[in-house]
Amino acid sequence: MDFKIAVLAGDGIGPEISTVGVDVMTAVCEKFGHKVNYEYAICGADAIDKVGDPFPEATYEVCKNADAVLFSAVGDPKFDNDPTAKVRPEQGLLAMRKKLGLFANIRPVQTFKCLLHKSPLRAELVDGADFLCIRELTGGMYFGEKYQDNDKAYDTNMYTRPEIERILKVGFEYAMKRNKHLTVVDKANVLASSRLWRQIAQEMAPQYPEVTTDYMFVDNAAMKMIQEPKFFDVMVTENTFGDILTDEGSVISGSMGLLPSASTGESTPVFEPIHGSWPQAKGLNIANPLAQILSAAMLFEYFNLLEEGALIRKAVDASLDANVRTPEIQVEGGAKYGTKEVGAWVVDYIKRS
């Protein structure tokens, strides 16, 4: 297969982990006989500094014309600490999702046996936890009508039937591929938008008779993820709830540096780690690149290149088992590995396999 990949490194540790992701993808393509061409583009704070726009039109064109986007991270403290800033790096992320029609965020939550001790939860609770969070990505409060003055502010949480139906369809279809259990998360006891979600989910459920469908208020779902994370198989929810729950789920594994994600929809899919830009670590060669590497695995799997994705996952597991790890997950007394060194080890493993 010939790949045309848009590479958006972004801010903070983004460029460092992006380099590793590209190296891993290149190694896999060479091994399996795929051709790959990369086109690099700016986004986030880097793009604001250069052209005043966190997702400039030129970057959109690069993404639109690619087969997939390998994205890293955006964000910078100088914007976080300025509530009056009119342009922010994260607006570029929202613009990318909206312009590319990326309405479904697919975020796996899984644990690694050798890292169970790193989880904030007891090992017996998280051992074997493996579920998928599917978040609606282009509707709700993040994109609804907004207003703010010195005395009043509001964000409108609006959803339409087509928006809800298409994301629920994604949820049901992933459940069919996995353990046939879908949990629809809402706040139907309070919010009208959630009642529409639940109504439509109940209408669609009979179309998937093999799937056990249950419904859970978001506060209960948040508790259940901590008390019994192995209960879940596939979870689907709206934008704001999904943003919060997926971040909550991400720490179950013990490190945000381990989990990838995919954003899919009407146009070019985007594959990215779930962690942020961690600007404090910029240039220190300590950022964990495994989430970026696993994002490349999801990219191959999206195109049904399952053997390629499986090899990347095998390489990541092997690196963890060999204690080739960045500082935040390294065992006490273990050798010191940085971002570059972990990436090089994984690339070498792929080439030798």
Side-chain angles (χ1 to χ4, degrees):
M1 180 173 178
D2 291 355
F3 282 107
K4 187 175 182 181
I5 304 298
V7 180
L8 275 60
D11 308 321
I13 60 171
E16 297 166 70
I17 61 170
S18 178
T19 298
V20 172
V22 167
D23 289 346
V24 167
M25 184 164 185
T26 300
V28 172
C29 286
E30 289 176 353
K31 188 172 190 66
F32 287 89
H34 304 302
K35 293 182 179 179
V36 59
N37 178 59
Y38 303 103
E39 190 163 358
Y40 294 80
I42 58 174
C43 64
D46 178 47
I48 294 174
D49 289 342
K50 289 175 178 173
V51 299
D53 185 342
F55 190 65
E57 187 65 22
T59 298
Y60 168 58
E61 289 296 324
V62 169
C63 294
K64 184 179 68 172
N65 295 322
D67 296 309
V69 178
L70 194 60
F71 177 80
S72 296
V74 295
D76 190 285
K78 68 183 178 184
F79 296 95
D80 297 339
N81 299 326
D82 181 6
T84 65
K86 299 298 183 185
V87 182
R88 298 176 178 277
E90 292 77 12
Q91 291 170 344
L93 198 54
L94 297 181
M96 178 169 65
R97 293 166 180 169
K98 197 70 173 180
K99 286 189 171 185
L100 294 176
L102 303 175
F103 63 83
N105 181 235
I106 317 299
R107 188 177 289 194
V109 176
Q110 65 180 109
T111 55
F112 300 81
K113 277 196 174 291
C114 64
L115 292 172
L116 291 178
H117 65 287
K118 286 287 188 178
S119 175
L121 303 182
R122 299 195 310 273
E124 63 266 27
L125 290 179
V126 296
D127 188 9
D130 180 2
F131 61 95
L132 207 59
C133 295
I134 298 178
R135 167 190 169 194
E136 199 288 323
L137 209 54
T138 57
M141 283 196 291
Y142 290 7
F143 292 94
E145 183 183 348
K146 301 177 184 299
Y147 175 81
Q148 179 183 355
D149 61 27
N150 288 330
D151 302 302
K152 180 177 71 176
Y154 60 79
D155 301 275
T156 308
N157 193 42
M158 189 184 81
Y159 273 103
T160 64
R161 175 174 284 271
E163 287 175 319
I164 298 169
E165 286 178 340
R166 68 184 182 180
I167 191 67
L168 287 173
K169 184 173 186 286
V170 173
F172 279 112
E173 289 179 349
Y174 267 102
M176 286 293 293
K177 296 174 187 175
R178 290 173 53 94
N179 298 315
K180 296 181 171 60
H181 176 203
L182 180 68
T183 303
V184 180
V185 177
D186 59 34
K187 192 63 177 171
N189 57 336
V190 176
L191 300 177
S193 56
S194 281
R195 287 192 285 276
L196 182 60
W197 270 75
R198 186 168 294 208
Q199 174 190 329
I200 295 172
Q202 290 173 343
E203 292 171 3
M204 292 178 66
Q207 301 172 29
Y208 302 88
E210 295 178 58
V211 176
T212 299
T213 306
D214 48 44
Y215 305 87
M216 197 175 290
F217 296 147
V218 62
D219 40 358
N220 187 24
M223 291 187 290
K224 191 78 167 177
M225 283 174 65
I226 300 303
Q227 294 171 328
E228 193 183 351
K230 286 182 278 192
F231 168 84
F232 297 102
D233 176 32
V234 179
M235 170 195 298
V236 62
T237 191
E238 60 98 69
N239 204 344
T240 306
F241 297 159
D243 192 2
I244 297 165
L245 290 176
T246 51
D247 279 356
E248 180 186 0
S250 71
V251 302
I252 289 174
S253 70
S255 171
M256 290 186 76
L258 292 169
L259 300 180
S261 74
S263 297
T264 65
E266 300 165 1
S267 185
T268 313
V270 174
F271 301 87
E272 61 181 295
I274 61 96
H275 58 70
S277 60
W278 196 15
Q280 298 83 356
K282 179 180 179 180
L284 299 181
N285 193 39
I286 61 172
N288 190 342
L290 294 185
Q292 181 81 84
I293 291 170
L294 289 170
S295 296
M298 290 188 77
L299 189 158
F300 283 111
E301 291 160 355
Y302 176 85
F303 291 101
N304 206 34
L305 299 172
L306 304 185
E307 192 176 351
E308 289 84 337
L311 177 56
I312 293 176
R313 295 183 185 279
K314 184 180 177 184
V316 167
D317 288 341
S319 73
L320 292 171
D321 290 341
N323 292 329
V324 180
R325 313 178 188 184
T326 44
E328 93 285 2
I329 56 170
Q330 184 56 291
V331 297
E332 188 174 349
K336 292 184 179 180
Y337 291 92
T339 311
K340 296 176 184 176
E341 290 74 25
V342 171
W345 195 97
V346 171
V347 167
D348 184 63
Y349 182 96
I350 290 168
K351 290 179 176 180
R352 289 186 288 107
S353 296

